[in-house]
Structure formats: structure tokens, C-alpha cells
Amino acid sequence: MSSNELAENTVREEGEHGNAGAPPSRRGPLVAATALLACLGLVGYGMLDTAEAPRRPRAVPTAEVTYEVTGTGTAEISYLARSEDGTATVETAVTLPWKKSVRAPLGRTPTVAVVLDGEGGQATCTLAIHGRHVQRATALGDYGRATCTGTLPAAPHEA
């Protein structure tokens, strides 16, 4: 058998048995198309995943609260502001007078507390909700204390 006849027999046998019926010129694009479809399927699965996306926390409803401390001396002032967990904000070494308007979460108790320093003096705290005066208290002397508290309506229940 000549080398040409041997090569022809090899090509015929590969064409009949080795390529599962696809001509050699189409095998490359067929493999590429199959790989592309597999990749697109994986990407589509990731994009169509039905797991619920994390929700943004809802905004907490608030009310306008105005705190004011008048008087003489230096004081430490703590008050409730827009903190959802209801923790107080503390300002130290505040020279009086002092005033602050904030948004406080509904359902919390707006409070302003003043503590005079060791030098003493006099301080009066006042609290207003939506511009309406709610409470007034006075601190006197060394480390004198006063607290003003108001009431905010409860936050509406989530639907």
C-alpha cells in the first residue's frame, strides 16, 4: 500500500467513526457554540436567582424637637437626636447659652439633660416639640442638674 492510499484510508475512517458525523471543518465552531451556551446558562442562572435581595432599612418616622439651655457657665448636655436605637448624643464643655433643633424618632422620649461643671452657675433647659413648648427645668450651683422630657407619638406600625 502506498503512502497516499494509507492517508486516504485514515481520513475515511476518521470521517466515518471519529467525529460523530460532523465534518472536520465544523467541529471547532460546534465546540465553541456548546461552550458559549454553557457559559450563558451559568450567567443566566446567576442573574435569575430567585433569592430575595437584602432590603434597605425603612426610614424611621421622626418629629422636630428643639432643645435649649440658657444660663451662665459651662455644662455637659445630653439629648436624643435621630438615632434609631434611642441613644443620647453628649456634648461636653458647652458654654451657655446653647440651642439645637433635631429630628427625633417617633415612639422615643425626647430628653435634654444639663449638668453644670464644678464652677457652678445657673442653667435652664427647655424642650419644644413641633414648636410647642413642653417642659422647662432649672439647675443651680456646683454640678447642678436639670432634665426636660417630652412625649412623641408612637411610630405607625409597618404594613
Side-chain angles (χ1 to χ4, degrees), residues 59-90:
V60 174
T62 61
E64 181 184 355
V65 177
T66 301
Y67 304 115
E68 187 171 7
V69 180
T70 58
T72 59
T74 304
E76 178 180 279
I77 300 172
S78 58
Y79 59 94
L80 177 68
R82 193 181 174 91
S83 171
E84 292 180 20
D85 62 2
T87 57
T89 300
V90 178

PDB file of all heavy atoms in Angstrom, residues 59-90:
ATOM      1  N   ALA A  59     -36.955  54.047  56.575  1.00  0.00           N
ATOM      2  CA  ALA A  59     -36.676  55.280  57.301  1.00  0.00           C
ATOM      3  C   ALA A  59     -37.580  55.342  58.528  1.00  0.00           C
ATOM      4  O   ALA A  59     -38.758  55.017  58.463  1.00  0.00           O
ATOM      5  CB  ALA A  59     -36.920  56.487  56.405  1.00  0.00           C
ATOM      6  N   VAL A  60     -37.012  55.721  59.624  1.00  0.00           N
ATOM      7  CA  VAL A  60     -37.767  55.835  60.860  1.00  0.00           C
ATOM      8  C   VAL A  60     -38.476  57.186  60.860  1.00  0.00           C
ATOM      9  O   VAL A  60     -37.842  58.222  60.665  1.00  0.00           O
ATOM     10  CB  VAL A  60     -36.817  55.722  62.082  1.00  0.00           C
ATOM     11  CG1 VAL A  60     -37.562  55.985  63.368  1.00  0.00           C
ATOM     12  CG2 VAL A  60     -36.148  54.371  62.100  1.00  0.00           C
ATOM     13  N   PRO A  61     -39.802  57.205  61.088  1.00  0.00           N
ATOM     14  CA  PRO A  61     -40.510  58.485  61.134  1.00  0.00           C
ATOM     15  C   PRO A  61     -40.021  59.311  62.324  1.00  0.00           C
ATOM     16  O   PRO A  61     -39.742  58.768  63.386  1.00  0.00           O
ATOM     17  CB  PRO A  61     -41.984  58.105  61.292  1.00  0.00           C
ATOM     18  CG  PRO A  61     -42.055  56.632  61.349  1.00  0.00           C
ATOM     19  CD  PRO A  61     -40.682  56.078  61.269  1.00  0.00           C
ATOM     20  N   THR A  62     -39.922  60.608  62.119  1.00  0.00           N
ATOM     21  CA  THR A  62     -39.382  61.492  63.151  1.00  0.00           C
ATOM     22  C   THR A  62     -40.285  62.698  63.366  1.00  0.00           C
ATOM     23  O   THR A  62     -41.199  62.957  62.586  1.00  0.00           O
ATOM     24  CB  THR A  62     -37.980  61.990  62.751  1.00  0.00           C
ATOM     25  OG1 THR A  62     -38.080  62.717  61.531  1.00  0.00           O
ATOM     26  CG2 THR A  62     -36.984  60.851  62.601  1.00  0.00           C
ATOM     27  N   ALA A  63     -39.983  63.428  64.422  1.00  0.00           N
ATOM     28  CA  ALA A  63     -40.668  64.686  64.721  1.00  0.00           C
ATOM     29  C   ALA A  63     -39.612  65.734  65.044  1.00  0.00           C
ATOM     30  O   ALA A  63     -38.524  65.401  65.537  1.00  0.00           O
ATOM     31  CB  ALA A  63     -41.609  64.517  65.908  1.00  0.00           C
ATOM     32  N   GLU A  64     -39.922  66.995  64.764  1.00  0.00           N
ATOM     33  CA  GLU A  64     -38.983  68.073  65.066  1.00  0.00           C
ATOM     34  C   GLU A  64     -39.007  68.385  66.567  1.00  0.00           C
ATOM     35  O   GLU A  64     -40.064  68.591  67.149  1.00  0.00           O
ATOM     36  CB  GLU A  64     -39.334  69.334  64.285  1.00  0.00           C
ATOM     37  CG  GLU A  64     -38.363  70.469  64.558  1.00  0.00           C
ATOM     38  CD  GLU A  64     -38.757  71.763  63.872  1.00  0.00           C
ATOM     39  OE1 GLU A  64     -39.730  71.772  63.101  1.00  0.00           O
ATOM     40  OE2 GLU A  64     -38.082  72.764  64.134  1.00  0.00           O
ATOM     41  N   VAL A  65     -37.821  68.365  67.155  1.00  0.00           N
ATOM     42  CA  VAL A  65     -37.670  68.663  68.583  1.00  0.00           C
ATOM     43  C   VAL A  65     -36.613  69.746  68.716  1.00  0.00           C
ATOM     44  O   VAL A  65     -35.560  69.679  68.080  1.00  0.00           O
ATOM     45  CB  VAL A  65     -37.237  67.406  69.370  1.00  0.00           C
ATOM     46  CG1 VAL A  65     -37.011  67.726  70.833  1.00  0.00           C
ATOM     47  CG2 VAL A  65     -38.274  66.300  69.221  1.00  0.00           C
ATOM     48  N   THR A  66     -36.899  70.764  69.554  1.00  0.00           N
ATOM     49  CA  THR A  66     -35.926  71.823  69.810  1.00  0.00           C
ATOM     50  C   THR A  66     -35.553  71.797  71.285  1.00  0.00           C
ATOM     51  O   THR A  66     -36.424  71.847  72.159  1.00  0.00           O
ATOM     52  CB  THR A  66     -36.485  73.209  69.439  1.00  0.00           C
ATOM     53  OG1 THR A  66     -36.839  73.192  68.053  1.00  0.00           O
ATOM     54  CG2 THR A  66     -35.454  74.306  69.682  1.00  0.00           C
ATOM     55  N   TYR A  67     -34.242  71.686  71.527  1.00  0.00           N
ATOM     56  CA  TYR A  67     -33.700  71.718  72.887  1.00  0.00           C
ATOM     57  C   TYR A  67     -33.003  73.055  73.068  1.00  0.00           C
ATOM     58  O   TYR A  67     -32.323  73.531  72.164  1.00  0.00           O
ATOM     59  CB  TYR A  67     -32.657  70.613  73.079  1.00  0.00           C
ATOM     60  CG  TYR A  67     -33.140  69.216  72.779  1.00  0.00           C
ATOM     61  CD1 TYR A  67     -32.600  68.487  71.726  1.00  0.00           C
ATOM     62  CD2 TYR A  67     -34.113  68.611  73.567  1.00  0.00           C
ATOM     63  CE1 TYR A  67     -33.012  67.197  71.467  1.00  0.00           C
ATOM     64  CE2 TYR A  67     -34.531  67.319  73.309  1.00  0.00           C
ATOM     65  CZ  TYR A  67     -33.979  66.612  72.256  1.00  0.00           C
ATOM     66  OH  TYR A  67     -34.396  65.340  72.012  1.00  0.00           O
ATOM     67  N   GLU A  68     -33.143  73.643  74.252  1.00  0.00           N
ATOM     68  CA  GLU A  68     -32.470  74.912  74.527  1.00  0.00           C
ATOM     69  C   GLU A  68     -32.024  74.921  75.981  1.00  0.00           C
ATOM     70  O   GLU A  68     -32.762  74.507  76.872  1.00  0.00           O
ATOM     71  CB  GLU A  68     -33.398  76.085  74.245  1.00  0.00           C
ATOM     72  CG  GLU A  68     -32.714  77.420  74.357  1.00  0.00           C
ATOM     73  CD  GLU A  68     -33.581  78.567  73.860  1.00  0.00           C
ATOM     74  OE1 GLU A  68     -34.771  78.364  73.551  1.00  0.00           O
ATOM     75  OE2 GLU A  68     -33.059  79.694  73.794  1.00  0.00           O
ATOM     76  N   VAL A  69     -30.788  75.368  76.188  1.00  0.00           N
ATOM     77  CA  VAL A  69     -30.268  75.538  77.544  1.00  0.00           C
ATOM     78  C   VAL A  69     -29.745  76.966  77.632  1.00  0.00           C
ATOM     79  O   VAL A  69     -28.847  77.363  76.890  1.00  0.00           O
ATOM     80  CB  VAL A  69     -29.143  74.529  77.867  1.00  0.00           C
ATOM     81  CG1 VAL A  69     -28.626  74.746  79.281  1.00  0.00           C
ATOM     82  CG2 VAL A  69     -29.633  73.094  77.684  1.00  0.00           C
ATOM     83  N   THR A  70     -30.339  77.746  78.537  1.00  0.00           N
ATOM     84  CA  THR A  70     -29.909  79.122  78.748  1.00  0.00           C
ATOM     85  C   THR A  70     -29.253  79.215  80.120  1.00  0.00           C
ATOM     86  O   THR A  70     -29.393  78.319  80.949  1.00  0.00           O
ATOM     87  CB  THR A  70     -31.107  80.091  78.688  1.00  0.00           C
ATOM     88  OG1 THR A  70     -32.063  79.693  79.670  1.00  0.00           O
ATOM     89  CG2 THR A  70     -31.751  80.081  77.311  1.00  0.00           C
ATOM     90  N   GLY A  71     -28.527  80.277  80.351  1.00  0.00           N
ATOM     91  CA  GLY A  71     -27.917  80.480  81.653  1.00  0.00           C
ATOM     92  C   GLY A  71     -26.474  80.907  81.533  1.00  0.00           C
ATOM     93  O   GLY A  71     -26.029  81.407  80.495  1.00  0.00           O
ATOM     94  N   THR A  72     -25.713  80.671  82.621  1.00  0.00           N
ATOM     95  CA  THR A  72     -24.311  81.050  82.671  1.00  0.00           C
ATOM     96  C   THR A  72     -23.479  79.833  83.018  1.00  0.00           C
ATOM     97  O   THR A  72     -23.976  78.865  83.597  1.00  0.00           O
ATOM     98  CB  THR A  72     -24.088  82.124  83.756  1.00  0.00           C
ATOM     99  OG1 THR A  72     -24.501  81.591  85.018  1.00  0.00           O
ATOM    100  CG2 THR A  72     -24.874  83.391  83.447  1.00  0.00           C
ATOM    101  N   GLY A  73     -22.213  79.895  82.644  1.00  0.00           N
ATOM    102  CA  GLY A  73     -21.312  78.809  82.994  1.00  0.00           C
ATOM    103  C   GLY A  73     -21.095  77.839  81.856  1.00  0.00           C
ATOM    104  O   GLY A  73     -21.473  78.075  80.700  1.00  0.00           O
ATOM    105  N   THR A  74     -20.470  76.711  82.223  1.00  0.00           N
ATOM    106  CA  THR A  74     -20.159  75.653  81.265  1.00  0.00           C
ATOM    107  C   THR A  74     -20.864  74.388  81.729  1.00  0.00           C
ATOM    108  O   THR A  74     -20.928  74.102  82.928  1.00  0.00           O
ATOM    109  CB  THR A  74     -18.639  75.409  81.211  1.00  0.00           C
ATOM    110  OG1 THR A  74     -18.002  76.653  80.905  1.00  0.00           O
ATOM    111  CG2 THR A  74     -18.269  74.406  80.151  1.00  0.00           C
ATOM    112  N   ALA A  75     -21.359  73.601  80.772  1.00  0.00           N
ATOM    113  CA  ALA A  75     -22.150  72.423  81.135  1.00  0.00           C
ATOM    114  C   ALA A  75     -21.902  71.267  80.179  1.00  0.00           C
ATOM    115  O   ALA A  75     -21.382  71.446  79.072  1.00  0.00           O
ATOM    116  CB  ALA A  75     -23.627  72.783  81.131  1.00  0.00           C
ATOM    117  N   GLU A  76     -22.312  70.096  80.634  1.00  0.00           N
ATOM    118  CA  GLU A  76     -22.392  68.920  79.769  1.00  0.00           C
ATOM    119  C   GLU A  76     -23.858  68.765  79.418  1.00  0.00           C
ATOM    120  O   GLU A  76     -24.726  68.793  80.296  1.00  0.00           O
ATOM    121  CB  GLU A  76     -21.892  67.680  80.499  1.00  0.00           C
ATOM    122  CG  GLU A  76     -22.002  66.429  79.650  1.00  0.00           C
ATOM    123  CD  GLU A  76     -21.503  65.203  80.390  1.00  0.00           C
ATOM    124  OE1 GLU A  76     -20.282  65.006  80.419  1.00  0.00           O
ATOM    125  OE2 GLU A  76     -22.349  64.466  80.940  1.00  0.00           O
ATOM    126  N   ILE A  77     -24.147  68.593  78.122  1.00  0.00           N
ATOM    127  CA  ILE A  77     -25.537  68.491  77.667  1.00  0.00           C
ATOM    128  C   ILE A  77     -25.697  67.186  76.909  1.00  0.00           C
ATOM    129  O   ILE A  77     -24.904  66.871  76.017  1.00  0.00           O
ATOM    130  CB  ILE A  77     -25.906  69.683  76.754  1.00  0.00           C
ATOM    131  CG1 ILE A  77     -25.736  70.999  77.519  1.00  0.00           C
ATOM    132  CG2 ILE A  77     -27.318  69.529  76.212  1.00  0.00           C
ATOM    133  CD1 ILE A  77     -25.879  72.234  76.660  1.00  0.00           C
ATOM    134  N   SER A  78     -26.708  66.422  77.262  1.00  0.00           N
ATOM    135  CA  SER A  78     -27.030  65.203  76.509  1.00  0.00           C
ATOM    136  C   SER A  78     -28.470  65.318  76.013  1.00  0.00           C
ATOM    137  O   SER A  78     -29.338  65.865  76.692  1.00  0.00           O
ATOM    138  CB  SER A  78     -26.842  63.955  77.368  1.00  0.00           C
ATOM    139  OG  SER A  78     -27.637  64.003  78.513  1.00  0.00           O
ATOM    140  N   TYR A  79     -28.699  64.790  74.809  1.00  0.00           N
ATOM    141  CA  TYR A  79     -30.026  64.909  74.204  1.00  0.00           C
ATOM    142  C   TYR A  79     -30.251  63.777  73.227  1.00  0.00           C
ATOM    143  O   TYR A  79     -29.314  63.160  72.732  1.00  0.00           O
ATOM    144  CB  TYR A  79     -30.200  66.264  73.507  1.00  0.00           C
ATOM    145  CG  TYR A  79     -29.181  66.514  72.416  1.00  0.00           C
ATOM    146  CD1 TYR A  79     -29.467  66.192  71.093  1.00  0.00           C
ATOM    147  CD2 TYR A  79     -27.941  67.067  72.704  1.00  0.00           C
ATOM    148  CE1 TYR A  79     -28.536  66.414  70.092  1.00  0.00           C
ATOM    149  CE2 TYR A  79     -27.006  67.295  71.710  1.00  0.00           C
ATOM    150  CZ  TYR A  79     -27.302  66.968  70.403  1.00  0.00           C
ATOM    151  OH  TYR A  79     -26.385  67.183  69.417  1.00  0.00           O
ATOM    152  N   LEU A  80     -31.509  63.500  72.942  1.00  0.00           N
ATOM    153  CA  LEU A  80     -31.893  62.483  71.969  1.00  0.00           C
ATOM    154  C   LEU A  80     -32.012  63.150  70.606  1.00  0.00           C
ATOM    155  O   LEU A  80     -32.648  64.183  70.469  1.00  0.00           O
ATOM    156  CB  LEU A  80     -33.238  61.856  72.353  1.00  0.00           C
ATOM    157  CG  LEU A  80     -33.794  60.826  71.368  1.00  0.00           C
ATOM    158  CD1 LEU A  80     -32.916  59.573  71.360  1.00  0.00           C
ATOM    159  CD2 LEU A  80     -35.218  60.457  71.737  1.00  0.00           C
ATOM    160  N   ALA A  81     -31.387  62.514  69.601  1.00  0.00           N
ATOM    161  CA  ALA A  81     -31.489  63.010  68.222  1.00  0.00           C
ATOM    162  C   ALA A  81     -31.958  61.872  67.329  1.00  0.00           C
ATOM    163  O   ALA A  81     -32.610  60.951  67.798  1.00  0.00           O
ATOM    164  CB  ALA A  81     -30.148  63.586  67.767  1.00  0.00           C
ATOM    165  N   ARG A  82     -31.563  61.871  66.072  1.00  0.00           N
ATOM    166  CA  ARG A  82     -32.072  60.947  65.067  1.00  0.00           C
ATOM    167  C   ARG A  82     -31.493  59.535  65.187  1.00  0.00           C
ATOM    168  O   ARG A  82     -31.417  58.813  64.226  1.00  0.00           O
ATOM    169  CB  ARG A  82     -31.791  61.501  63.675  1.00  0.00           C
ATOM    170  CG  ARG A  82     -32.541  60.769  62.604  1.00  0.00           C
ATOM    171  CD  ARG A  82     -32.219  61.346  61.239  1.00  0.00           C
ATOM    172  NE  ARG A  82     -32.833  60.564  60.215  1.00  0.00           N
ATOM    173  CZ  ARG A  82     -34.029  60.798  59.719  1.00  0.00           C
ATOM    174  NH1 ARG A  82     -34.734  61.801  60.153  1.00  0.00           N
ATOM    175  NH2 ARG A  82     -34.514  60.027  58.786  1.00  0.00           N
ATOM    176  N   SER A  83     -31.112  59.105  66.311  1.00  0.00           N
ATOM    177  CA  SER A  83     -30.587  57.759  66.479  1.00  0.00           C
ATOM    178  C   SER A  83     -31.745  56.780  66.591  1.00  0.00           C
ATOM    179  O   SER A  83     -32.620  56.935  67.432  1.00  0.00           O
ATOM    180  CB  SER A  83     -29.732  57.697  67.748  1.00  0.00           C
ATOM    181  OG  SER A  83     -29.384  56.381  68.037  1.00  0.00           O
ATOM    182  N   GLU A  84     -31.764  55.757  65.704  1.00  0.00           N
ATOM    183  CA  GLU A  84     -32.866  54.794  65.711  1.00  0.00           C
ATOM    184  C   GLU A  84     -32.880  53.950  66.981  1.00  0.00           C
ATOM    185  O   GLU A  84     -33.910  53.456  67.392  1.00  0.00           O
ATOM    186  CB  GLU A  84     -32.777  53.887  64.488  1.00  0.00           C
ATOM    187  CG  GLU A  84     -33.055  54.637  63.207  1.00  0.00           C
ATOM    188  CD  GLU A  84     -32.986  53.765  61.987  1.00  0.00           C
ATOM    189  OE1 GLU A  84     -33.099  52.535  62.119  1.00  0.00           O
ATOM    190  OE2 GLU A  84     -32.818  54.307  60.893  1.00  0.00           O
ATOM    191  N   ASP A  85     -31.724  53.765  67.597  1.00  0.00           N
ATOM    192  CA  ASP A  85     -31.695  52.938  68.809  1.00  0.00           C
ATOM    193  C   ASP A  85     -31.970  53.763  70.062  1.00  0.00           C
ATOM    194  O   ASP A  85     -32.021  53.221  71.159  1.00  0.00           O
ATOM    195  CB  ASP A  85     -30.371  52.190  68.935  1.00  0.00           C
ATOM    196  CG  ASP A  85     -29.169  53.119  69.067  1.00  0.00           C
ATOM    197  OD1 ASP A  85     -29.348  54.349  69.100  1.00  0.00           O
ATOM    198  OD2 ASP A  85     -28.043  52.596  69.153  1.00  0.00           O
ATOM    199  N   GLY A  86     -32.165  55.060  69.917  1.00  0.00           N
ATOM    200  CA  GLY A  86     -32.549  55.890  71.047  1.00  0.00           C
ATOM    201  C   GLY A  86     -31.407  56.299  71.960  1.00  0.00           C
ATOM    202  O   GLY A  86     -31.639  56.777  73.059  1.00  0.00           O
ATOM    203  N   THR A  87     -30.156  56.133  71.527  1.00  0.00           N
ATOM    204  CA  THR A  87     -29.042  56.549  72.369  1.00  0.00           C
ATOM    205  C   THR A  87     -28.887  58.061  72.341  1.00  0.00           C
ATOM    206  O   THR A  87     -29.238  58.725  71.375  1.00  0.00           O
ATOM    207  CB  THR A  87     -27.711  55.899  71.920  1.00  0.00           C
ATOM    208  OG1 THR A  87     -27.479  56.235  70.556  1.00  0.00           O
ATOM    209  CG2 THR A  87     -27.770  54.384  72.059  1.00  0.00           C
ATOM    210  N   ALA A  88     -28.350  58.583  73.414  1.00  0.00           N
ATOM    211  CA  ALA A  88     -28.204  60.034  73.554  1.00  0.00           C
ATOM    212  C   ALA A  88     -26.931  60.529  72.889  1.00  0.00           C
ATOM    213  O   ALA A  88     -25.938  59.811  72.790  1.00  0.00           O
ATOM    214  CB  ALA A  88     -28.195  60.412  75.026  1.00  0.00           C
ATOM    215  N   THR A  89     -26.977  61.777  72.457  1.00  0.00           N
ATOM    216  CA  THR A  89     -25.804  62.486  71.972  1.00  0.00           C
ATOM    217  C   THR A  89     -25.334  63.353  73.129  1.00  0.00           C
ATOM    218  O   THR A  89     -26.145  64.005  73.786  1.00  0.00           O
ATOM    219  CB  THR A  89     -26.163  63.361  70.763  1.00  0.00           C
ATOM    220  OG1 THR A  89     -26.672  62.516  69.731  1.00  0.00           O
ATOM    221  CG2 THR A  89     -24.965  64.135  70.257  1.00  0.00           C
ATOM    222  N   VAL A  90     -24.022  63.348  73.383  1.00  0.00           N
ATOM    223  CA  VAL A  90     -23.488  64.100  74.520  1.00  0.00           C
ATOM    224  C   VAL A  90     -22.500  65.139  74.000  1.00  0.00           C
ATOM    225  O   VAL A  90     -21.608  64.820  73.216  1.00  0.00           O
ATOM    226  CB  VAL A  90     -22.791  63.160  75.532  1.00  0.00           C
ATOM    227  CG1 VAL A  90     -22.207  63.963  76.684  1.00  0.00           C
ATOM    228  CG2 VAL A  90     -23.760  62.107  76.038  1.00  0.00           C
TER     229      VAL A  90
END
